[in-house]
Protein backbone atom coordinates (compact mmCIF):
# COMPACT_ATOMS: atom_id res chain seq x y z
CA UNK A 1 0.00 0.00 0.00
CA UNK A 2 1.60 3.23 -1.16
CA UNK A 3 0.50 6.13 1.04
CA UNK A 4 1.67 8.64 -1.55
CA UNK A 5 -1.14 7.57 -3.89
CA UNK A 6 -3.91 7.81 -1.27
CA UNK A 7 -6.41 10.65 -1.48
CA UNK A 8 -8.24 11.61 1.69
CA UNK A 9 -11.58 13.40 1.61
CA UNK A 10 -12.80 14.83 4.92
CA UNK A 11 -16.38 16.01 5.36
CA UNK A 12 -17.41 17.93 8.45
CA UNK A 13 -21.09 18.23 9.36
CA UNK A 14 -22.48 20.50 12.08
CA UNK A 15 -25.94 21.76 12.92
CA UNK A 16 -24.60 25.22 13.72
CA UNK A 17 -24.06 27.45 10.66
CA UNK A 18 -21.41 29.61 12.38
CA UNK A 19 -19.33 26.53 13.25
CA UNK A 20 -19.44 25.42 9.63
CA UNK A 21 -18.33 28.88 8.50
CA UNK A 22 -15.55 28.93 11.11
CA UNK A 23 -14.30 25.56 9.86
CA UNK A 24 -14.34 26.77 6.26
CA UNK A 25 -12.33 29.84 7.24
CA UNK A 26 -9.91 28.28 9.71
CA UNK A 27 -9.04 24.85 8.32
CA UNK A 28 -6.06 25.18 6.02
CA UNK A 29 -4.52 22.35 4.05
CA UNK A 30 -1.30 22.35 2.05
CA UNK A 31 -1.51 18.74 0.82
CA UNK A 32 -3.24 18.24 -2.54
CA UNK A 33 -4.12 14.67 -1.55
CA UNK A 34 -6.45 15.92 1.20
CA UNK A 35 -9.71 17.74 0.57
CA UNK A 36 -11.89 19.21 3.31
CA UNK A 37 -15.56 20.09 2.92
CA UNK A 38 -17.88 21.42 5.59
CA UNK A 39 -21.66 21.33 5.49
CA UNK A 40 -24.53 22.28 7.73
CA UNK A 41 -26.67 19.26 8.52
CA UNK A 42 -28.99 17.79 11.12
CA UNK A 43 -28.50 14.06 11.65
CA UNK A 44 -30.64 14.10 14.81
CA UNK A 45 -34.04 14.93 13.32
CA UNK A 46 -33.41 14.53 9.59
CA UNK A 47 -31.88 12.08 7.16
CA UNK A 48 -28.53 13.26 5.78
CA UNK A 49 -28.22 13.73 2.02
CA UNK A 50 -25.66 10.91 1.77
CA UNK A 51 -26.44 7.38 0.59
CA UNK A 52 -25.97 4.34 2.82
CA UNK A 53 -22.33 3.54 3.66
CA UNK A 54 -21.18 6.73 1.90
CA UNK A 55 -18.38 7.41 4.41
CA UNK A 56 -15.73 4.84 5.27
CA UNK A 57 -15.35 6.25 8.78
CA UNK A 58 -17.19 8.67 11.06
CA UNK A 59 -15.87 10.70 13.97
CA UNK A 60 -18.33 11.93 16.62
CA UNK A 61 -16.99 14.20 19.38
CA UNK A 62 -19.02 16.04 21.99
CA UNK A 63 -22.35 15.34 20.33
CA UNK A 64 -24.05 12.40 22.03
CA UNK A 65 -23.54 13.86 25.51
CA UNK A 66 -25.87 16.79 24.77
CA UNK A 67 -28.68 14.69 23.29
CA UNK A 68 -31.56 13.16 25.18
CA UNK A 69 -32.21 9.43 24.69
CA UNK A 70 -34.53 9.79 21.68
CA UNK A 71 -32.22 12.27 19.93
CA UNK A 72 -29.24 10.02 20.68
CA UNK A 73 -30.99 6.99 19.22
CA UNK A 74 -31.92 8.91 16.05
CA UNK A 75 -28.41 10.36 15.64
CA UNK A 76 -26.65 7.01 16.13
CA UNK A 77 -29.01 5.33 13.67
CA UNK A 78 -28.30 7.96 11.00
CA UNK A 79 -24.53 7.97 11.57
CA UNK A 80 -24.55 4.18 11.37
CA UNK A 81 -26.53 4.31 8.12
CA UNK A 82 -23.98 6.49 6.32
CA UNK A 83 -20.86 4.79 7.75
CA UNK A 84 -19.29 1.76 6.08
CA UNK A 85 -16.28 0.65 8.16
CA UNK A 86 -15.96 2.27 11.58
CA UNK A 87 -16.99 4.95 14.05
CA UNK A 88 -14.79 6.76 16.56
CA UNK A 89 -16.68 8.39 19.43
CA UNK A 90 -15.56 10.74 22.18
CA UNK A 91 -18.36 11.05 24.69
CA UNK A 92 -18.71 12.10 28.31
CA UNK A 93 -18.47 9.22 30.77
CA UNK A 94 -19.52 10.84 34.04
CA UNK A 95 -22.60 12.85 34.96
CA UNK A 96 -22.45 16.65 34.83
CA UNK A 97 -25.24 19.26 34.66
CA UNK A 98 -26.95 19.04 31.28
CA UNK A 99 -24.94 16.03 30.15
CA UNK A 100 -26.16 12.57 29.25
CA UNK A 101 -23.42 9.99 29.83
CA UNK A 102 -24.13 6.56 28.38
CA UNK A 103 -22.41 3.57 29.91
CA UNK A 104 -24.31 1.35 27.47
CA UNK A 105 -22.91 3.02 24.36
CA UNK A 106 -21.30 -0.26 23.25
CA UNK A 107 -24.67 -2.01 23.34
CA UNK A 108 -26.27 0.81 21.33
CA UNK A 109 -23.51 0.58 18.73
CA UNK A 110 -24.00 -3.18 18.42
CA UNK A 111 -27.74 -2.69 17.90
CA UNK A 112 -26.80 -0.42 14.98
CA UNK A 113 -24.34 -2.84 13.37
CA UNK A 114 -21.04 -1.76 14.97
CA UNK A 115 -19.00 -3.63 17.56
CA UNK A 116 -16.73 -1.90 20.08
CA UNK A 117 -13.11 -2.80 19.36
CA UNK A 118 -11.46 -0.53 21.93
CA UNK A 119 -12.75 1.62 24.75
CA UNK A 120 -10.75 3.92 27.00
CA UNK A 121 -11.92 6.14 29.84
CA UNK A 122 -9.69 9.20 30.07
CA UNK A 123 -9.44 12.42 32.07
CA UNK A 124 -10.20 15.47 29.98
CA UNK A 125 -8.19 18.67 30.04
CA UNK A 126 -6.78 20.56 31.80
CA UNK A 127 -4.16 17.97 32.63
CA UNK A 128 -2.05 20.05 35.02
CA UNK A 129 -3.65 19.90 38.49
CA UNK A 130 -1.37 22.65 39.87
CA UNK A 131 -2.26 25.23 37.26
CA UNK A 132 -5.64 25.29 35.51
CA UNK A 133 -5.52 26.10 31.82
CA UNK A 134 -8.99 27.59 32.22
CA UNK A 135 -8.44 30.51 34.65
CA UNK A 136 -12.16 31.29 34.83
CA UNK A 137 -12.90 27.67 35.75
CA UNK A 138 -15.68 27.42 33.19
CA UNK A 139 -14.64 24.03 31.85
CA UNK A 140 -14.64 21.10 34.28
CA UNK A 141 -12.29 18.14 34.46
CA UNK A 142 -14.39 15.17 33.38
CA UNK A 143 -13.98 11.56 32.47
CA UNK A 144 -14.59 10.90 28.78
CA UNK A 145 -14.94 7.59 27.02
CA UNK A 146 -13.22 7.07 23.69
CA UNK A 147 -14.66 4.23 21.66
CA UNK A 148 -13.54 2.69 18.39
CA UNK A 149 -16.25 0.53 16.81
CA UNK A 150 -16.03 -1.47 13.59
CA UNK A 151 -18.83 -2.55 11.28
CA UNK A 152 -20.01 -6.05 12.14
Amino acid sequence: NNIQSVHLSITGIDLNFSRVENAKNLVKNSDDRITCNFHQGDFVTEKLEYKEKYFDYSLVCGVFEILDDIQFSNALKEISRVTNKGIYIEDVYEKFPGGHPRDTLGKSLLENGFKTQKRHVILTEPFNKKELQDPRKLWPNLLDQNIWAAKV
Side-chain angles (χ1 to χ4, degrees), residues 93-115:
Y93 181 71
E94 64 182 335
K95 185 73 175 156
F96 73 98
H100 301 276
R102 292 181 172 82
D103 58 357
T104 60
L105 191 50
K107 180 181 177 210
S108 298
L109 282 161
L110 194 55
E111 291 169 352
N112 284 277
F114 289 84
K115 184 175 181 183

Side-chain angles (χ1 to χ4, degrees), residues 42-47 64 67-81 112:
D42 180 357
F43 54 82
V44 175
T45 63
E46 300 172 5
K47 186 175 178 180
F64 292 152
L67 303 177
D68 65 32
D69 290 341
I70 293 171
Q71 293 170 325
F72 163 73
S73 179
N74 292 343
L76 183 57
K77 182 177 179 182
E78 183 59 8
I79 291 166
S80 298
R81 183 187 72 79
N112 284 277

Side-chain angles (χ1 to χ4, degrees), residues 22-29 36 38:
N22 284 341
K24 287 179 180 178
N25 293 326
L26 297 174
V27 173
K28 305 296 180 209
N29 175 36
C36 298
F38 302 98

Side-chain angles (χ1 to χ4, degrees), residues 2 10-11 24 28 30 51 53 56-58 61 72 76-77 86-87 91 93 123 127 129-130 152:
N2 184 354
I10 299 171
T11 302
K24 287 179 180 178
K28 305 296 180 209
S30 61
K51 64 182 181 177
K53 300 179 183 178
D56 285 338
Y57 301 98
S58 291
C61 293
F72 163 73
L76 183 57
K77 182 177 179 182
I87 302 173
D91 193 51
Y93 181 71
L123 183 64
F127 300 109
K129 291 183 180 181
K130 293 180 184 176
V152 179

